[in-house]
Coordinates of all heavy atoms in Angstrom, one line a residue:
M688 N 36.6 -21.0 -3.3 CA 36.7 -21.7 -2.0 C 35.9 -23.0 -2.0 O 34.9 -23.1 -2.7 CB 36.2 -20.7 -0.9 CG 36.3 -21.3 0.5 SD 35.7 -20.2 1.8 CE 37.1 -19.1 1.9
S689 N 36.4 -24.0 -1.3 CA 35.7 -25.2 -1.2 C 34.3 -25.1 -0.6 O 34.1 -24.1 0.2 CB 36.5 -26.2 -0.3 OG 35.8 -27.3 0.1
K690 N 33.4 -26.0 -0.9 CA 32.1 -25.9 -0.2 C 32.2 -26.1 1.3 O 31.4 -25.6 2.0 CB 31.2 -27.0 -0.8 CG 30.7 -26.7 -2.2 CD 29.8 -27.7 -2.8 CE 29.4 -27.4 -4.2 NZ 28.6 -28.5 -4.8
R691 N 33.2 -26.9 1.7 CA 33.5 -27.1 3.1 C 34.3 -26.0 3.6 O 35.2 -25.5 3.0 CB 34.2 -28.5 3.3 CG 33.4 -29.6 2.7 CD 34.0 -30.9 3.0 NE 34.0 -31.2 4.4 CZ 34.4 -32.3 4.9 NH1 34.9 -33.3 4.1 NH2 34.4 -32.6 6.2
T692 N 34.0 -25.6 4.8 CA 34.7 -24.5 5.4 C 35.1 -24.8 6.9 O 34.5 -25.7 7.5 CB 33.9 -23.2 5.4 OG1 32.7 -23.4 6.1 CG2 33.6 -22.7 4.0
V693 N 36.1 -24.2 7.3 CA 36.5 -24.2 8.7 C 36.1 -22.9 9.4 O 36.6 -21.9 8.9 CB 38.0 -24.5 8.8 CG1 38.4 -24.6 10.3 CG2 38.5 -25.7 8.1
K694 N 35.2 -23.0 10.4 CA 34.7 -21.8 10.9 C 34.5 -21.8 12.4 O 33.8 -20.9 13.0 CB 33.4 -21.3 10.2 CG 32.3 -22.3 10.2 CD 31.2 -21.9 9.3 CE 30.2 -22.9 9.1 NZ 29.1 -22.6 8.1
K695 N 35.1 -22.9 13.1 CA 34.9 -22.8 14.5 C 36.0 -23.7 15.2 O 36.6 -24.5 14.6 CB 33.5 -23.4 14.9 CG 33.3 -24.8 14.6 CD 31.9 -25.2 15.0 CE 31.6 -26.6 14.6 NZ 30.2 -27.0 15.0
C696 N 36.2 -23.4 16.5 CA 37.0 -24.3 17.4 C 36.0 -25.4 17.8 O 35.1 -25.2 18.6 CB 37.5 -23.5 18.5 SG 38.3 -24.6 19.8
V697 N 36.2 -26.6 17.3 CA 35.3 -27.7 17.6 C 35.3 -28.1 19.1 O 34.3 -28.3 19.7 CB 35.7 -28.9 16.7 CG1 34.8 -30.1 17.0 CG2 35.6 -28.6 15.2
C698 N 36.5 -28.1 19.6 CA 36.6 -28.5 21.0 C 35.9 -27.6 22.0 O 35.3 -28.1 23.0 CB 38.1 -28.6 21.4 SG 39.1 -29.8 20.5
H699 N 35.9 -26.3 21.7 CA 35.2 -25.4 22.6 C 33.8 -25.0 22.1 O 33.0 -24.3 22.7 CB 36.0 -24.1 22.8 CG 37.2 -24.3 23.6 ND1 37.2 -23.9 24.9 CD2 38.4 -24.8 23.3 CE1 38.4 -24.2 25.4 NE2 39.1 -24.7 24.5
R700 N 33.4 -25.6 20.9 CA 32.1 -25.3 20.3 C 31.9 -23.8 20.2 O 30.8 -23.4 20.6 CB 31.0 -26.0 21.1 CG 31.2 -27.5 21.1 CD 30.1 -28.2 21.8 NE 30.3 -29.7 21.9 CZ 29.5 -30.5 22.5 NH1 28.5 -30.1 23.2 NH2 29.8 -31.8 22.5
I701 N 32.8 -23.1 19.6 CA 32.6 -21.7 19.5 C 33.1 -21.3 18.1 O 34.2 -21.7 17.6 CB 33.4 -20.9 20.6 CG1 33.1 -19.4 20.4 CG2 34.9 -21.2 20.6 CD1 33.6 -18.5 21.6
K702 N 32.3 -20.5 17.4 CA 32.6 -20.0 16.0 C 33.7 -19.0 16.1 O 33.8 -18.2 17.0 CB 31.4 -19.4 15.4 CG 30.3 -20.4 15.1 CD 29.1 -19.6 14.4 CE 27.9 -20.6 14.2 NZ 26.8 -19.8 13.7
F703 N 34.5 -19.0 15.0 CA 35.6 -18.0 14.9 C 35.0 -16.6 15.0 O 35.6 -15.7 15.6 CB 36.4 -18.2 13.6 CG 37.2 -19.5 13.6 CD1 37.5 -20.1 12.3 CD2 37.7 -20.1 14.7 CE1 38.2 -21.2 12.2 CE2 38.4 -21.3 14.6 CZ 38.7 -21.8 13.4
E704 N 33.9 -16.4 14.4 CA 33.3 -15.0 14.4 C 32.9 -14.6 15.8 O 33.1 -13.4 16.2 CB 32.0 -14.9 13.5 CG 30.9 -15.8 13.9 CD 29.7 -15.7 12.9 OE1 30.0 -16.1 11.7 OE2 28.6 -15.3 13.3
D705 N 32.6 -15.6 16.7 CA 32.3 -15.2 18.1 C 33.6 -15.0 18.8 O 33.6 -14.2 19.7 CB 31.4 -16.3 18.7 CG 30.0 -16.4 18.1 OD1 29.5 -15.4 17.6 OD2 29.5 -17.5 18.1
I706 N 34.6 -15.8 18.5 CA 35.9 -15.6 19.1 C 36.4 -14.2 18.7 O 36.9 -13.4 19.6 CB 36.9 -16.6 18.6 CG1 36.5 -18.0 19.1 CG2 38.3 -16.3 19.2 CD1 37.3 -19.2 18.4
Y707 N 36.3 -13.8 17.5 CA 36.8 -12.5 17.0 C 36.0 -11.4 17.7 O 36.7 -10.3 18.0 CB 36.6 -12.4 15.5 CG 37.4 -11.3 14.9 CD1 38.8 -11.3 15.0 CD2 36.8 -10.2 14.3 CE1 39.6 -10.3 14.5 CE2 37.6 -9.1 13.8 CZ 39.0 -9.2 13.9 OH 39.7 -8.2 13.4
A708 N 34.8 -11.6 18.0 CA 34.0 -10.5 18.7 C 34.7 -10.3 20.1 O 34.8 -9.2 20.6 CB 32.6 -10.9 18.9
V709 N 35.1 -11.4 20.8 CA 35.7 -11.3 22.1 C 37.1 -10.7 21.9 O 37.5 -9.9 22.8 CB 35.9 -12.7 22.7 CG1 36.7 -12.7 24.0 CG2 34.5 -13.4 22.9
V710 N 37.8 -11.0 20.8 CA 39.1 -10.4 20.6 C 39.0 -8.9 20.5 O 39.8 -8.2 21.1 CB 39.7 -11.0 19.3 CG1 40.9 -10.2 18.7 CG2 40.1 -12.4 19.5
I711 N 38.0 -8.4 19.8 CA 37.8 -7.0 19.6 C 37.4 -6.4 20.9 O 38.0 -5.4 21.4 CB 36.8 -6.7 18.5 CG1 37.3 -7.2 17.2 CG2 36.5 -5.2 18.5 CD1 38.6 -6.6 16.7
E712 N 36.4 -7.0 21.6 CA 35.9 -6.4 22.8 C 36.9 -6.4 23.9 O 37.0 -5.4 24.7 CB 34.7 -7.3 23.3 CG 34.0 -6.8 24.5 CD 32.9 -7.8 24.9 OE1 32.0 -8.0 24.0 OE2 32.9 -8.3 26.0
Q713 N 37.8 -7.4 24.0 CA 38.7 -7.5 25.1 C 40.2 -7.1 24.7 O 41.1 -7.2 25.5 CB 38.7 -8.9 25.8 CG 37.4 -9.2 26.3 CD 37.4 -10.6 27.1 OE1 38.4 -11.1 27.4 NE2 36.2 -11.1 27.3
N714 N 40.3 -6.6 23.5 CA 41.6 -6.2 22.9 C 42.7 -7.3 23.1 O 43.8 -7.1 23.5 CB 42.1 -4.9 23.6 CG 43.1 -4.2 22.8 OD1 43.2 -4.3 21.6 ND2 44.0 -3.5 23.5
I715 N 42.3 -8.5 22.8 CA 43.2 -9.7 22.8 C 44.1 -9.7 21.6 O 43.6 -9.4 20.5 CB 42.3 -11.0 22.9 CG1 41.6 -11.1 24.3 CG2 43.2 -12.2 22.7 CD1 40.7 -12.2 24.5
E716 N 45.3 -10.0 21.9 CA 46.3 -9.9 20.8 C 47.0 -11.2 20.4 O 47.7 -11.3 19.4 CB 47.4 -8.9 21.1 CG 46.9 -7.5 21.3 CD 48.0 -6.5 21.6 OE1 49.1 -7.0 22.0 OE2 47.7 -5.3 21.6
S717 N 46.7 -12.3 21.2 CA 47.4 -13.6 20.8 C 46.5 -14.8 21.1 O 45.6 -14.8 21.9 CB 48.7 -13.7 21.7 OG 48.4 -13.9 23.0
L718 N 46.9 -15.9 20.5 CA 46.3 -17.2 20.7 C 46.5 -17.6 22.1 O 45.6 -18.1 22.8 CB 46.9 -18.2 19.7 CG 46.4 -19.6 19.9 CD1 44.9 -19.8 19.8 CD2 47.1 -20.6 19.0
D719 N 47.7 -17.4 22.7 CA 47.9 -17.7 24.1 C 46.9 -17.1 25.0 O 46.5 -17.7 26.0 CB 49.4 -17.4 24.5 CG 50.4 -18.3 23.8 OD1 50.0 -19.4 23.4 OD2 51.6 -18.0 23.8
E720 N 46.6 -15.8 24.8 CA 45.6 -15.2 25.7 C 44.3 -15.8 25.6 O 43.6 -16.0 26.6 CB 45.5 -13.7 25.3 CG 46.6 -12.8 25.6 CD 46.4 -11.4 25.2 OE1 45.5 -10.7 25.8 OE2 47.0 -10.9 24.3
L721 N 43.9 -16.2 24.4 CA 42.6 -16.9 24.2 C 42.6 -18.2 24.9 O 41.6 -18.6 25.5 CB 42.3 -17.1 22.7 CG 42.0 -15.8 21.9 CD1 42.1 -16.1 20.4 CD2 40.6 -15.3 22.3
I722 N 43.7 -19.0 24.8 CA 43.8 -20.3 25.5 C 43.8 -20.0 27.0 O 43.1 -20.7 27.8 CB 45.1 -21.0 25.1 CG1 45.0 -21.4 23.6 CG2 45.3 -22.2 25.9 CD1 46.2 -21.9 23.0
D723 N 44.6 -19.1 27.5 CA 44.6 -18.8 29.0 C 43.3 -18.5 29.5 O 43.0 -18.9 30.7 CB 45.6 -17.7 29.2 CG 47.1 -18.1 29.0 OD1 47.3 -19.3 28.9 OD2 47.9 -17.2 29.0
Q724 N 42.5 -17.8 28.7 CA 41.1 -17.4 29.2 C 40.1 -18.5 28.9 O 38.9 -18.3 29.2 CB 40.7 -16.1 28.6 CG 41.6 -14.9 29.0 CD 41.1 -13.6 28.5 OE1 39.9 -13.4 28.4 NE2 42.0 -12.7 28.2
K725 N 40.5 -19.6 28.4 CA 39.7 -20.7 28.1 C 38.5 -20.4 27.1 O 37.4 -20.9 27.3 CB 39.1 -21.4 29.4 CG 40.3 -21.9 30.3 CD 39.7 -22.5 31.5 CE 40.8 -23.2 32.4 NZ 42.1 -22.7 32.4
I726 N 38.8 -19.5 26.2 CA 37.8 -19.1 25.2 C 37.8 -20.1 24.1 O 36.8 -20.5 23.5 CB 38.1 -17.7 24.7 CG1 37.9 -16.7 25.8 CG2 37.2 -17.3 23.5 CD1 38.5 -15.3 25.6
C727 N 39.0 -20.6 23.7 CA 39.2 -21.5 22.6 C 40.6 -22.1 22.6 O 41.4 -21.5 23.3 CB 38.9 -20.9 21.2 SG 40.0 -19.5 20.8
G728 N 40.8 -23.1 21.8 CA 42.2 -23.5 21.5 C 42.8 -24.4 22.5 O 44.0 -24.8 22.4
A729 N 42.2 -24.8 23.6 CA 42.8 -25.5 24.7 C 42.6 -27.0 24.5 O 43.0 -27.8 25.4 CB 42.3 -25.1 26.0
G730 N 42.0 -27.4 23.4 CA 41.8 -28.9 23.2 C 42.8 -29.5 22.2 O 44.0 -29.5 22.5
C731 N 42.4 -29.9 21.1 CA 43.3 -30.6 20.1 C 44.3 -29.8 19.4 O 45.3 -30.2 19.0 CB 42.4 -31.3 19.1 SG 41.6 -30.2 17.9
G732 N 44.0 -28.5 19.3 CA 44.9 -27.6 18.7 C 44.8 -27.4 17.2 O 45.5 -26.6 16.5
M733 N 43.9 -28.2 16.6 CA 43.7 -28.1 15.1 C 43.3 -26.7 14.7 O 43.5 -26.3 13.5 CB 42.6 -29.1 14.7 CG 43.1 -30.6 14.8 SD 44.4 -31.0 13.7 CE 43.5 -31.0 12.1
C734 N 42.6 -25.9 15.5 CA 42.2 -24.6 15.1 C 43.3 -23.5 15.2 O 43.1 -22.4 14.7 CB 41.0 -24.2 16.0 SG 41.4 -24.1 17.8
H735 N 44.4 -23.9 15.8 CA 45.4 -22.8 16.1 C 45.8 -22.0 14.9 O 45.8 -20.8 15.0 CB 46.6 -23.5 16.8 CG 46.3 -23.9 18.2 ND1 47.3 -24.3 19.1 CD2 45.2 -23.9 18.9 CE1 46.8 -24.6 20.2 NE2 45.5 -24.4 20.2
P736 N 46.2 -22.7 13.8 CA 46.6 -21.9 12.6 C 45.5 -21.0 12.1 O 45.8 -19.9 11.6 CB 47.1 -22.9 11.6 CG 46.6 -24.2 12.0 CD 46.4 -24.1 13.5
Y737 N 44.3 -21.5 12.2 CA 43.2 -20.7 11.7 C 42.9 -19.4 12.6 O 42.7 -18.3 12.1 CB 41.9 -21.5 11.6 CG 42.0 -22.7 10.6 CD1 42.4 -23.9 11.1 CD2 41.9 -22.5 9.3 CE1 42.5 -25.0 10.2 CE2 42.0 -23.5 8.4 CZ 42.3 -24.8 8.9 OH 42.5 -25.8 8.0
I738 N 43.0 -19.7 13.9 CA 42.9 -18.6 14.8 C 44.0 -17.5 14.7 O 43.8 -16.3 14.7 CB 42.7 -19.1 16.3 CG1 41.4 -19.9 16.4 CG2 42.8 -18.0 17.3 CD1 41.3 -20.6 17.7
Q739 N 45.2 -18.0 14.5 CA 46.3 -17.1 14.3 C 46.1 -16.3 13.0 O 46.4 -15.1 13.1 CB 47.6 -17.9 14.2 CG 48.0 -18.4 15.6 CD 49.2 -19.4 15.6 OE1 49.4 -20.1 14.6 NE2 50.0 -19.3 16.6
K740 N 45.6 -16.9 12.0 CA 45.3 -16.1 10.8 C 44.2 -15.1 11.0 O 44.2 -14.0 10.5 CB 45.0 -17.0 9.6 CG 44.9 -16.2 8.3 CD 44.8 -17.1 7.1 CE 44.7 -16.3 5.8 NZ 44.7 -17.1 4.6
M741 N 43.2 -15.6 11.8 CA 42.1 -14.7 12.1 C 42.6 -13.4 12.8 O 42.1 -12.3 12.6 CB 41.1 -15.4 13.0 CG 39.9 -14.6 13.4 SD 38.9 -15.4 14.7 CE 40.1 -15.1 16.1
L742 N 43.5 -13.6 13.8 CA 44.0 -12.5 14.5 C 44.8 -11.5 13.7 O 44.8 -10.3 14.0 CB 45.0 -13.0 15.6 CG 44.3 -13.8 16.8 CD1 45.4 -14.5 17.7 CD2 43.4 -12.9 17.6
I743 N 45.3 -12.0 12.5 CA 46.1 -11.1 11.6 C 45.1 -10.4 10.6 O 45.2 -9.2 10.4 CB 47.2 -11.9 10.9 CG1 48.2 -12.4 11.9 CG2 47.8 -11.1 9.8 CD1 49.2 -13.4 11.3
T744 N 44.2 -11.2 10.1 CA 43.4 -10.7 8.9 C 42.0 -10.4 9.3 O 41.4 -9.6 8.5 CB 43.4 -11.8 7.8 OG1 42.6 -12.9 8.3 CG2 44.7 -12.3 7.4
G745 N 41.5 -10.9 10.4 CA 40.1 -10.7 10.7 C 39.1 -11.6 10.0 O 37.9 -11.6 10.2
E746 N 39.7 -12.5 9.2 CA 38.8 -13.5 8.5 C 38.3 -14.5 9.6 O 39.0 -14.8 10.5 CB 39.6 -14.3 7.5 CG 40.1 -13.5 6.3 CD 41.0 -14.4 5.4 OE1 40.6 -15.3 4.8 OE2 42.3 -14.1 5.5
T747 N 37.1 -15.0 9.4 CA 36.5 -16.0 10.3 C 36.0 -17.2 9.6 O 35.5 -18.1 10.3 CB 35.4 -15.3 11.1 OG1 34.4 -14.8 10.2 CG2 35.9 -14.2 12.0
T748 N 36.2 -17.3 8.3 CA 35.8 -18.6 7.6 C 37.0 -18.9 6.7 O 37.4 -18.0 5.9 CB 34.5 -18.3 6.8 OG1 33.5 -18.0 7.7 CG2 34.1 -19.6 6.1
F749 N 37.4 -20.2 6.7 CA 38.5 -20.6 5.9 C 38.2 -21.8 5.1 O 37.5 -22.7 5.5 CB 39.7 -20.8 6.8 CG 40.1 -19.7 7.7 CD1 39.5 -19.6 9.0 CD2 40.9 -18.7 7.3 CE1 39.8 -18.5 9.8 CE2 41.2 -17.6 8.1 CZ 40.6 -17.5 9.4
A750 N 38.9 -22.0 4.0 CA 38.9 -23.3 3.3 C 39.8 -24.2 4.1 O 40.8 -23.8 4.6 CB 39.5 -23.1 1.9
P751 N 39.4 -25.5 4.1 CA 40.3 -26.5 4.9 C 41.7 -26.4 4.3 O 41.9 -26.5 3.1 CB 39.6 -27.8 4.6 CG 38.2 -27.5 4.2 CD 38.2 -26.1 3.5
G752 N 42.7 -26.3 5.2 CA 44.1 -26.3 4.8 C 44.5 -24.9 4.3 O 45.7 -24.8 4.0
D753 N 43.7 -24.0 4.2 CA 44.0 -22.6 3.7 C 45.3 -22.1 4.3 O 46.1 -21.6 3.7 CB 42.8 -21.7 3.9 CG 43.2 -20.2 3.7 OD1 43.1 -19.8 2.6 OD2 43.5 -19.6 4.7
V754 N 45.4 -22.2 5.6 CA 46.5 -21.6 6.3 C 47.8 -22.3 6.0 O 48.8 -21.7 6.0 CB 46.3 -21.6 7.9 CG1 45.1 -20.7 8.2 CG2 45.9 -23.0 8.3
Y755 N 47.7 -23.6 5.7 CA 49.0 -24.3 5.4 C 49.4 -24.0 3.9 O 50.6 -23.8 3.7 CB 48.7 -25.8 5.5 CG 48.3 -26.2 6.9 CD1 47.0 -26.6 7.2 CD2 49.2 -26.1 7.9 CE1 46.6 -26.9 8.5 CE2 48.9 -26.4 9.2 CZ 47.6 -26.8 9.5 OH 47.2 -27.1 10.8
I756 N 48.5 -23.8 3.0 CA 48.8 -23.5 1.6 C 49.6 -22.2 1.6 O 50.6 -22.0 1.0 CB 47.6 -23.4 0.7 CG1 47.0 -24.8 0.6 CG2 47.9 -22.8 -0.6 CD1 45.5 -24.8 0.1
H757 N 49.1 -21.2 2.3 CA 49.7 -19.8 2.3 C 51.0 -19.8 3.0 O 51.9 -19.1 2.6 CB 48.7 -18.8 2.9 CG 47.5 -18.5 2.0 ND1 47.6 -17.9 0.8 CD2 46.3 -18.9 2.1 CE1 46.4 -17.9 0.2 NE2 45.6 -18.4 1.0
A758 N 51.1 -20.7 4.0 CA 52.4 -20.7 4.8 C 53.5 -21.3 3.9 O 54.6 -20.9 3.9 CB 52.2 -21.6 6.0
E759 N 53.2 -22.3 3.0 CA 54.2 -22.9 2.2 C 54.6 -22.0 1.0 O 55.7 -22.0 0.6 CB 53.6 -24.2 1.6 CG 53.5 -25.3 2.6 CD 52.8 -26.5 2.1 OE1 52.5 -26.6 0.9 OE2 52.5 -27.4 2.9
T760 N 53.7 -21.2 0.5 CA 54.0 -20.4 -0.6 C 54.5 -19.0 -0.2 O 55.0 -18.2 -1.0 CB 52.8 -20.2 -1.6 OG1 51.7 -19.6 -0.8 CG2 52.3 -21.5 -2.2
G761 N 54.5 -18.7 1.1 CA 55.0 -17.5 1.6 C 54.0 -16.3 1.3 O 54.3 -15.2 1.4
Ligands
LIG319 S1 39.4 -27.4 17.5 FE1 40.2 -25.8 18.8 S2 41.3 -26.8 20.3 FE2 40.4 -28.4 19.1

């Protein structure tokens, strides 16, 4: 993994690990729910693919572009 990591929604200033804690606590199942509740993702949208992967895998730290590499290779 690169030394640089993606680990937060910059616009909302909240770490993915803190978002994931809310996901578990409130049984949230989608990015849209997080946006509707203004927890994250309502700004630039750059975090969206990372949050979507977090919702599937539970990962909260990513290499930059990680989500795009896996999307292209299937
Ligand atoms: S980084 Fe999450 S909305 Fe901008």
Side-chain angles (χ1 to χ4, degrees):
M688 182 179 281
S689 167
K690 290 180 182 177
R691 300 182 69 175
T692 57
V693 180
K694 53 188 176 187
K695 65 181 177 182
C696 172
V697 176
C698 296
H699 288 260
R700 298 181 183 177
I701 182 170
K702 293 179 183 175
F703 294 149
E704 64 185 58
D705 294 332
I706 298 169
Y707 196 66
V709 174
V710 164
I711 297 300
E712 182 182 302
Q713 298 185 19
N714 200 27
I715 290 173
E716 296 181 349
S717 72
L718 174 60
D719 287 342
E720 287 180 68
L721 290 165
I722 293 171
D723 289 346
Q724 294 188 34
K725 299 182 177 25
I726 295 166
C727 62
C731 71
M733 291 292 288
C734 62
H735 288 187
Y737 298 97
I738 291 171
Q739 287 172 327
K740 185 169 181 180
M741 179 194 74
L742 289 170
I743 295 168
T744 67
E746 294 173 73
T747 56
T748 302
F749 305 92
D753 167 86
V754 291
Y755 301 108
I756 292 167
H757 291 292
E759 290 173 6
T760 58

